[in-house]
Amino acid sequence: MITSQQLAASFRLDQRSALVTGAGSGVGAAVAGAFAAAGAAVLVTDIDSTAAASVAAEITAGGGRADAFGLDVRDTSAAAEAADRAAALAGGTLHILVNNAGAIAPAMLADQTEETFRRIIDIHLVGSFLCSHAAQGLLPDDGRGRIINVTSAAGLTGTIGQVNYGAAKAGIVGLTKSLARELARKSVTVNAIAPLAATAMTENIRSNEKLAAKTLARIPLARWATPEEIAPSFVFLASDAGSYITGQVLPVDGGTVI
């Protein structure tokens, strides 16, 4: 029978390194903080290097281990450098990669441009591929290697006014399942989380009275989560507690996708 000490230890991330993209604010920042609280050394990355540095400084001030790096996930060489920097936090091994970086450019199809469609695909889907590709050779084969991608209800059920975002997030689901099958031979798990939280990414919905009401009507719990409420699900999948879960999409969205 598992003891309370063993159970608590299964959620710890001591002596592990983590790379979190898009961690300068919102869910990414909360995940970086939660990983550090669980014992991991975290490389906080964001295209806004100042924001990344601020999050890393806050983690360090709270007694955690963190460093920061300005990262555009569309840049192949920068993704490789970020992976190397994160691995250096744990003696050359990168244990956890979270592909969280994202952006939105909402518009109905008639107003959507090729440029905005390609940009959102590049940030979400291509960026997740590039960072995963950079991380693959640094992940351990001892059962502790993790890739956690971030998708959305938009990628699972579709959304109006965001064909670019919905397509990118649906692509991440396929990327997750394919990588899970491929990397299982190294005992690396690959999963995705589909969160819904009050962040800058959802501000355009929450600040529009009509859109906000429609969105809340689709959430059985009828409220928005805070980023800090979302972060523990990432710790679960990153820890030994999630060691036998791979190729799955976990909606953390108040029941929006059931």
Side-chain angles (χ1 to χ4, degrees), residues 8-9 19 51 61-62 64 82 94-95 109 138 161-162 188 195 216 221 248 251 256:
L19 165 58
L94 173 56
H95 297 89
L109 177 60
L138 299 168
Q162 289 187 310
V188 172
L216 285 174
L221 290 182
Q248 304 304 308
T256 301

Side-chain angles (χ1 to χ4, degrees), residues 72 112 116 118-119 125-126 138 145 152 226 230 238 240 253:
D72 182 339
Q112 189 72 243
T116 55
R118 288 184 181 277
R119 182 168 67 87
L125 182 54
V126 179
L138 299 168
S152 165
T226 65
I230 301 294
D240 290 345
D253 59 6

Side-chain angles (χ1 to χ4, degrees), residues 11 15 24 33 41 51 84 87 93 101 110 127-128 153 160 171 179-180 198 201 207 209 216 233 236-237 248:
F11 288 91
Q15 299 181 328
D84 286 338
T93 300
S128 294
I160 294 174
L179 287 179
M201 290 273 287
S207 62
E209 185 175 346
L216 285 174
S233 60
F236 164 58
L237 288 179
Q248 304 304 308

Side-chain angles (χ1 to χ4, degrees), residues 58-126:
E58 185 176 352
I59 290 172
T60 302
R65 292 182 59 205
D67 200 355
F69 181 66
L71 172 63
D72 182 339
V73 295
R74 298 168 294 182
D75 185 328
T76 304
S77 60
E81 183 177 353
D84 286 338
R85 287 185 177 224
L89 297 174
T93 300
L94 173 56
H95 297 89
I96 306 157
L97 167 64
V98 175
N99 287 310
N100 171 71
I104 56 172
M108 299 297 283
L109 177 60
D111 300 316
Q112 189 72 243
T113 67
E114 180 180 351
E115 187 278 329
T116 55
F117 187 86
R118 288 184 181 277
R119 182 168 67 87
I120 297 304
I121 294 290
D122 282 349
I123 293 170
H124 289 270
L125 182 54
V126 179

